[in-house]
Amino acid sequence: MASSAQQNPPSGGPNPPEKAIKTFPYASRLKDGRALALDVWSIFNAVNLPRDCINLGQGYMNFAPPEWAREEAEHALRSVEGNHYSPPKGRVRLRKALKEFYSPQFGRDLNPETEIIVTSGANEGQYAVWAAFLEPGDEVIIFEPFFDQYLPSIVFNGGKPVYVPLHPSTEPAPGTKYGKKTWNVDFEELEKAITPRTKMIVINTPHNPVGKVFTRAELERVAQLAEAHDLIVMCDEVYESLVFDKREHLRFANLPGMWERTVTVGSAGKLFAATGWRIGWVIGPPTLIGPTTAATTRIVFATNTPMQEAAAAGLERAHAHGFFEQQLREYEERRAVLLDAFERLGLEYTWTEGSYFALLNISRVRWPEDYNFPKTLEGRGKDFKAAWFIANEVGVSSIPVSEFYCEEHVSIGENYARFAFCKDLDTLRRAGEKLQRLREFVV
């Protein structure tokens, strides 16, 4: 038996050498998909900003979903069944509700068994589509600025993103002094981006972050290219209920010949101001939904049961409550408050046609040469510094748009900051007043 001295060496003796921490090489997809980079959401997190800074950067609401939908989640949690797995395709009730809600909009009697799948948020639905159809090296065309989850989801599934930038308009928006019409597609650039390896094109309408609603003429041009090159089209329509100025939300899948090659992605989080529910869906022909179902079953197996019940209730009861009509009026009022603040500020901005985002041109903002920016902004677009300066000195946070570009096209996006107006009117009014101080820093 060892002595006590052997068991407990003197505290004054030399410290044993520290053992090196074992590390393992990580997959290259993490780097290629920007997953290891410090993202914009971490930099502009509320923790890093002044306590009184108003957050118009992140697109989450500061108001609740409708009570009559939330009650269904509570009811499910009080039951036995509501606390257990749902079918991988989604709960029967929700798929039936989706069928009833969307069949008239697609002009066809949707089959909830073969043409609709419920996913763990729209992001996971998109991921499952790419997992189902991309082979290594397949190219996916995305319009810039792009929703940032597209890039890693494509790369993680072996695909190669190909970037086609939208271009800011110089035409004035009607009835405004500083507003500009929405951004445009250069179809020559789009055609040149298509190669023999192109498998898919992604359309996001209404668009995040531009707020663009694609026109019929634009969608028809994309449809011609999809037909000519036999492409799958993913139409990300999560902001479908937020289309302003009596514009029409056109479903790409409804264009002649497009149903058979289109998956349409939707979101309960965007429809019902419930981003934490993480309930989405994908709608399309059996030839596309079948493989997507196989993929999502292996990715998450099943989606949150009580929140599916809430989403089903939302779809079932929305029309009786006049919910979407009232929500649209409220968002139009919110948009008016923010865009009026931009007008009073005297800076150019992009007129928001849909979604709950607005782009402000911040290229004229200046700050002291010796201003103390954090090291996390080094190597980023100049819009990062502008957005940081505005958040810290004016007290309103936004998101620099260059985050949503490839390196080659950063110069297009770095003139803009994205502001979210999915907030209550009081918050937006206070933010609008704070923004007026920015005049002091505009040249």
Side-chain angles (χ1 to χ4, degrees):
M1 182 175 178
S3 70
S4 59
Q6 290 174 314
Q7 290 175 329
N8 300 294
S11 59
N15 293 325
E18 289 188 12
K19 185 178 180 180
I21 298 173
K22 175 67 176 173
T23 61
F24 297 90
Y26 52 79
S28 61
R29 68 177 66 92
L30 292 180
K31 180 177 182 296
D32 296 341
R34 294 189 190 173
L36 294 172
L38 183 66
D39 61 41
V40 70
W41 316 108
S42 301
I43 294 173
F44 286 88
N45 190 289
V47 174
N48 299 326
L49 300 175
R51 291 184 63 183
D52 61 349
C53 181
I54 298 175
N55 186 348
L56 298 190
Q58 294 171 298
Y60 63 83
M61 302 79 179
N62 65 348
F63 46 86
E67 184 177 358
W68 38 268
R70 285 181 283 140
E71 287 174 347
E72 288 298 313
E74 295 169 6
H75 177 74
L77 286 168
R78 287 193 293 268
S79 71
V80 173
E81 181 185 355
N83 288 277
H84 295 293
Y85 294 125
S86 289
K89 292 180 183 178
R91 294 188 67 74
V92 172
R93 178 186 178 186
L94 178 52
R95 282 185 285 126
K96 180 181 177 183
L98 289 164
K99 165 191 166 66
E100 298 299 324
F101 186 80
Y102 283 109
S103 287
Q105 299 182 44
F106 283 94
R108 60 179 63 241
D109 186 25
L110 294 171
N111 186 329
E113 293 298 321
T114 61
E115 296 178 327
I116 299 171
I117 179 174
V118 176
T119 58
S120 297
N123 288 347
E124 190 269 317
Q126 293 164 354
Y127 191 97
V129 172
W130 286 315
F133 291 99
L134 292 184
E135 294 287 359
D138 282 348
E139 295 175 354
V140 180
I141 293 175
I142 57 179
F143 290 107
E144 292 175 307
F146 55 85
F147 174 54
D148 59 340
Q149 284 292 105
Y150 294 163
L151 170 57
S153 294
I154 292 168
V155 170
F156 285 9
N157 285 292
K160 176 186 176 183
V162 175
Y163 307 99
V164 175
L166 298 172
H167 295 280
S169 174
T170 58
E171 292 185 61
T176 72
K177 186 175 181 180
Y178 297 101
K180 300 297 180 182
K181 287 185 176 180
T182 197
W183 297 23
N184 301 306
V185 181
D186 184 325
F187 280 94
E188 287 188 12
E189 290 180 341
L190 178 57
E191 289 190 54
K192 288 178 181 177
I194 299 173
T195 75
R197 293 306 308 268
T198 306
K199 173 68 70 72
M200 191 179 299
I201 184 168
V202 181
I203 303 171
N204 177 204
T205 182
H207 187 277
N208 171 16
V210 171
K212 174 184 177 64
V213 174
F214 279 70
T215 65
R216 181 177 294 277
E218 289 172 328
L219 295 177
E220 287 175 345
R221 290 283 298 275
V222 175
Q224 291 169 3
L225 294 172
E227 185 84 36
H229 298 277
D230 197 25
L231 306 179
I232 297 171
V233 179
M234 177 187 289
C235 208
D236 179 350
E237 301 185 5
V238 298
Y239 299 100
E240 62 189 273
S241 64
L242 300 177
V243 177
F244 306 123
D245 308 318
K246 298 184 178 179
R247 286 181 173 82
E248 182 183 5
H249 173 60
L250 299 167
R251 295 196 180 277
F252 185 84
N254 288 349
L255 296 179
M258 290 302 106
W259 167 256
E260 65 186 13
R261 64 176 68 253
T262 303
V263 289
T264 301
V265 181
S267 164
K270 302 303 190 295
L271 281 182
F272 297 109
T275 57
W277 288 4
R278 310 310 299 148
I279 301 294
W281 45 80
V282 183
I283 297 173
T287 51
L288 296 177
I289 296 302
T292 300
T293 302
T296 196
T297 302
R298 300 303 181 268
I299 296 168
V300 295
F301 179 67
T303 292
N304 185 308
T305 295
M307 294 302 104
Q308 287 193 62
E309 290 295 300
L315 293 167
E316 292 164 355
R317 302 174 189 173
H319 289 308
H321 287 274
F323 175 75
F324 293 117
E325 296 81 1
Q326 177 64 24
Q327 179 175 249
L328 183 61
R329 288 191 293 270
E330 292 172 354
Y331 268 101
E332 285 185 322
E333 189 175 1
R334 294 178 183 119
R335 178 187 62 158
V337 170
L338 183 60
L339 299 190
D340 177 68
F342 293 168
E343 281 283 335
R344 290 185 287 131
L345 184 55
L347 291 180
E348 291 184 358
Y349 60 94
T350 301
W351 185 259
T352 301
E353 298 178 336
S355 82
Y356 46 63
F357 300 111
L359 298 188
L360 179 67
N361 188 321
I362 41 79
S363 61
R364 292 171 52 203
V365 176
R366 297 291 183 271
W367 46 86
E369 290 186 9
D370 60 350
Y371 193 80
N372 186 25
F373 289 106
K375 291 187 180 298
T376 52
L377 303 191
E378 292 179 1
R380 307 273 187 165
K382 61 186 180 183
D383 52 335
F384 271 76
K385 286 187 175 180
W388 184 267
F389 181 78
I390 294 169
N392 283 272
E393 301 304 322
V394 176
V396 181
S397 70
S398 60
I399 294 296
V401 173
S402 66
E403 175 79 356
F404 311 129
Y405 282 85
C406 68
E407 290 184 10
E408 181 183 353
H409 299 149
V410 160
S411 62
I412 300 174
E414 66 180 355
N415 287 331
Y416 296 90
R418 188 195 79 172
F419 292 78
F421 54 88
C422 51
K423 314 294 179 181
D424 63 72
L425 288 173
D426 178 65
T427 298
L428 292 169
R429 290 184 181 121
R430 288 189 293 111
E433 290 307 313
K434 282 194 169 195
L435 281 171
Q436 301 316 302
R437 187 176 169 235
L438 190 56
R439 292 195 194 100
E440 301 173 27
F441 309 103
V442 171
V443 298

